[in-house]
Amino acid sequence: MGNSKTSLAGPSVISDFKEITKMRLSISVVFSSLAGYLLGVDIVDFKVLTLLALGGYFMVGASNGFNQIIEKDLDALMHRTKNRPIPAGRMSVTTAFIISSIFTLLGIIILYSINKQTAMFGAISIFLYTCAYTPLKTKTPLAVFVGAIPGAIPFMLGWVAATDDFGIEPGTLFALQFFWQFPHFWAIGWFLFDDYKKGGFFMLPTGKQDKGTAVQTIMYCIWTVIISIIPVFGFTGRLELSIIAAVIVFGLGLWMIYYAVRLFRLMTEKAAKQLMLVSVSYITLVQIVYVIDKFLS
């Protein structure tokens, strides 16, 4: 990190571009939309799969770009974000705005070429993330609730892209990823508490690193796990889960709940960070199990 100032112009332009679009986060979002697509489709169409990946990437990239324009002054206050391209002065607001706007257009056009509903949900997610979640972050812990909506759209978006239909199946995928985001975000809010405070962000439900926050984190983990095994009972339409897969998914859920309970017991930033890492593994593995189960059973 220390010598990043001295790096050459070429690589830094690429790394700034990666940072303004938050490449790692974008790829994880694209992954969940592709998982949703594979769950919804009968015959995999690689053209649609590619369009979904590209469109999804542009959407998330645009949201992150707009987010960093809006928060540039707050980002400058926090250790975690002060070296981002805009607050560090390596990229102008105009450049970031042009990139984000082009990304929005490309994203919507590409998703529209799959079907109208996919484009609509993509547009809703950009709007909510940029115009609701971002401004609310400094006002109220409810921002996490609002932010969980665009955050839960990708998994569902994949199903809608595959079927052009919004019903119980994408609704279940949405609910799973929606509830999952609370323990995930709160774990991040916990171990970055002091840094977030510098920027005036209130991410924890009680506003403090206390037992109340830890209890809510456990509760949301439990709800996430319940939703993740609902498809085994056969009332989520075409979204099905075999007994074996449900047992595996339930096991993964217990693993996440264990770390949430551990946070409650230890109340440390290290425990929060471990919960965050486990939560990321959990959602990825659950999506993989769902997809494998569909194609094996």
Side-chain angles (χ1 to χ4, degrees), residues 130-188:
T130 308
C131 305
Y133 168 64
T134 298
L136 283 172
K137 270 172 29 185
T138 52
K139 308 276 190 296
T140 167
L142 279 175
V144 173
F145 182 84
V146 176
I149 299 171
I153 285 177
F155 199 13
M156 170 201 104
L157 192 74
W159 186 286
V160 175
T163 60
D164 198 8
D165 183 41
F166 184 80
I168 183 82
E169 304 91 348
T172 308
L173 300 180
F174 177 86
L176 170 55
Q177 198 145 328
F178 178 78
F179 282 104
W180 166 80
Q181 288 192 72
F182 293 88
H184 175 68
F185 266 127
W186 289 337
I188 295 171

Side-chain angles (χ1 to χ4, degrees), residues 18-40:
K18 274 191 194 156
E19 212 168 325
I20 200 88
T21 59
K22 285 200 188 162
M23 193 168 247
R24 271 181 49 212
L25 175 72
S26 301
I27 289 168
S28 73
V29 170
V30 165
F31 178 81
S32 65
S33 63
L34 296 182
Y37 173 79
L38 292 172
L39 289 173

